[in-house]
Amino acid sequence: MISFSMSRYGFCLLLLVAFCCVSAQVDTQISLAQQWQLFSHFGDRSVLATDFDAIMFVDAQLPRIVMALMVGAVLGLVGSLMQQLTQNPLVSPMTLGTASGAWLALVVMNVWFPTWVGDYASIAATVGAMLTLGLVILIAGMKNLSGLPVVLAGMAVNILLGAVATAIILLNDQYAKNLFIWGAGDLAQNGWQQVQWLWPKLLVAVFIFLFAPRILALLRMGQAGAAARGLNIIPAILGLFTLGIWLVSVSITTVGVISFIGLLAPNIARQLGARTPKDELLLSMLLGATVLVATDALAMTMSMLTFDVVPSGTAAALIGAPALIWFTRRKLTAQDQLSFAMPKSRYHMNTAGVALMALVVVVLAAVSLLFGQVTQGTEVLWQWQLPDSFQWQIQWPRLVTSLAAGAGLAVAGVLLQRLIYNPLASPDILGISAGATCALVAGSVFIGLNIFDAAPFIAFAGSMGVLGLLLLLGRRHQFAPSMLILTGIALTALIEALVQFALARGDETSYTILSWLAGSTYRVAESSALWLLLGIGLLVGFAMATQRWLTLISTGRDFAKARGLNVPRAFLLLLCCVALLCAFVTATMGPVAFVGLLAPHMAVMLGAKKVQQQIPVAAMMGAGLMILSDWIGQNVVYPSQIAAGTVVSVVGGLYFILLLLKGQRAAR
């Protein structure tokens, strides 16, 4: 066993050295002999580095490799620590939402407390990450740390905090420009200052190796067994989590958000045979450093080939997202195959109720046009007034867009939830909207496409690509919520990395893309609003015309087949309808989260349980929700504006969290 362990460590160490040597050769103009001379006489580097290429090697290349080693080791170590504490192979700083908490804390500090950034940025990031972790554990419950609920809670908190951070950046863009590169995860160095700042703060990792192995060994016996042997469980877990989050926070404060390393390294360590807690911690740390050095070398190579700076975080996502899907397929357990039920309702929807819902939508539309804040002289007043010709020209495309987008996403949610028997299914959670976003952002970044004038067929191609992948990967697990949702998380993380790459470029398209990603109706042209209304109207009409298909498939595929339905053809056509609905909305106003989850649930709570009722009621609920969100966004911080998609993300994220809390109580 000892020789096997030594050979394993020796192999990983040799691999790490090899990748370090490869990384040192990327975009380096000096010879190997000169590199060795500079490295072996490092103390005299300022004297020996006499030309530009040598200075770049000493003050840019070497500190970048050292930073990759330190940060990769920390992410691997903390990932292993979190996975062993929770006994959950899918847990990492990314899936627990702690990176989003740190991101939001740094956004707040940069905008409102800029003088504190230099001294307290790492403390703010740690506090934000700790509060986020506490919220995730509160939502999931201590008993569910080893299953799917904690990952779902982390995803919900990620979306919620991301929406808040995006809103703050858009409202205060002049103070937050430096956060774009940070969000993308960049290891580039200009001297040794950041390395010297970071390494003393990482010394707390020593305490993990001193105290964690025994605690983790006891926790492997179960919480009851560990408590019986004298372990004070909650303080021990909280203390180790605090140490891990501090290490992650100071690392990402220095180089930004780099996802997946903390997820990949521990899983690879276990695949290589790590058995004891200490063995897994050490091997994960070594593998984390190896993976990040290799990833950074890939990022630098891609930068040379594309003549554009590719952040290390983007390269990490390109590797990590497929890896997350692969580990998800291998690591699902019985506890992960959780069932989520639609909300219960004692109401029954009738024709009068549907008419009342339509009246409510009309009233909301009228209020959004006639009531709001206006500026009179130096005062801002709430008042009722008919819009003049100029205001009408601005307002009616926004109203039409909100109505059509809300209805379209709501119907897409109804179709998805019934087709795959999953009440948590929605275009945003499963990554279908992210597929459309990916296609449009990629077109904007790589071929110069105007993202506001993009044709819906580009977004449709992205949505269909994700749908096909979900169906291919989900069939093995019978489209279980765990498989589909975690696949959606991986795809969404990949999209976010591409978006951060686009924003980190710092050109004039950065804020254009960011404002589009917030899901705003502000820039929608009159013709685009009308085309959206026409497209959504036709697709919703198709869904209503094929409601018998959906009813039969909802009852069961075998039953539908026995009733003479061509199930594969109907399934494919309805999924194409979902993809087109997402494509039209995303191409027109950007991605909008949670409407496809929230509106179908609200329809059921109001008593619309049958397909022929749920589709129109959900469409009206989605339309009303979007109209109300757009009105709130226009008035809550007047004269500034918050995108309707941001408001919906906050409301829907809170609802998703409540849904998880309700499921947790029901499972007790």
Side-chain angles (χ1 to χ4, degrees), residues 469-510:
L469 187 60
L470 285 171
L471 294 176
L472 179 65
L473 297 175
R475 183 172 298 176
R476 173 180 173 182
H477 296 281
Q478 300 300 312
F479 305 105
S482 50
M483 181 65 233
L484 293 173
I485 290 169
L486 288 171
T487 302
I489 291 173
L491 294 172
T492 302
L494 183 60
I495 306 311
E496 288 176 355
L498 177 63
V499 169
Q500 291 294 346
F501 165 62
L503 296 178
R505 300 172 74 195
D507 55 22
E508 66 277 2
T509 63
S510 294

Side-chain angles (χ1 to χ4, degrees), residues 88 90-101 129 131-141 144-145 147-162 485-486 489 492 496 594 653 656-657 660:
N88 188 339
L90 297 175
V91 160
S92 72
M94 178 193 70
T95 53
L96 284 180
T98 52
S100 292
L131 292 175
T132 304
L133 176 65
L135 177 61
V136 169
I137 293 177
L138 178 66
I139 295 168
N144 290 322
L145 293 181
L148 177 64
V150 70
V151 181
L152 290 175
M155 182 196 69
V157 171
N158 261 323
I159 295 176
L160 180 62
L161 298 186
I485 290 169
L486 288 171
I489 291 173
T492 302
E496 288 176 355
F594 287 123
F656 191 33
I657 289 172
L660 293 173

Side-chain angles (χ1 to χ4, degrees), residues 38-97:
L38 290 168
F39 183 75
S40 58
H41 297 86
F42 187 73
D44 299 324
R45 63 187 184 279
S46 59
V47 177
L48 295 174
T50 56
D51 57 71
F52 176 79
D53 292 332
I55 293 172
M56 287 295 296
F57 180 78
V58 169
D59 288 329
Q61 200 87 350
L62 289 182
R64 180 168 184 151
I65 294 173
V66 172
M67 184 64 74
L69 288 170
M70 293 194 301
V71 173
V74 162
L75 294 177
L77 173 66
V78 175
S80 175
L81 178 68
M82 289 182 170
Q83 290 183 15
Q84 292 191 71
L85 284 172
T86 60
Q87 297 297 300
N88 188 339
L90 297 175
V91 160
S92 72
M94 178 193 70
T95 53
L96 284 180

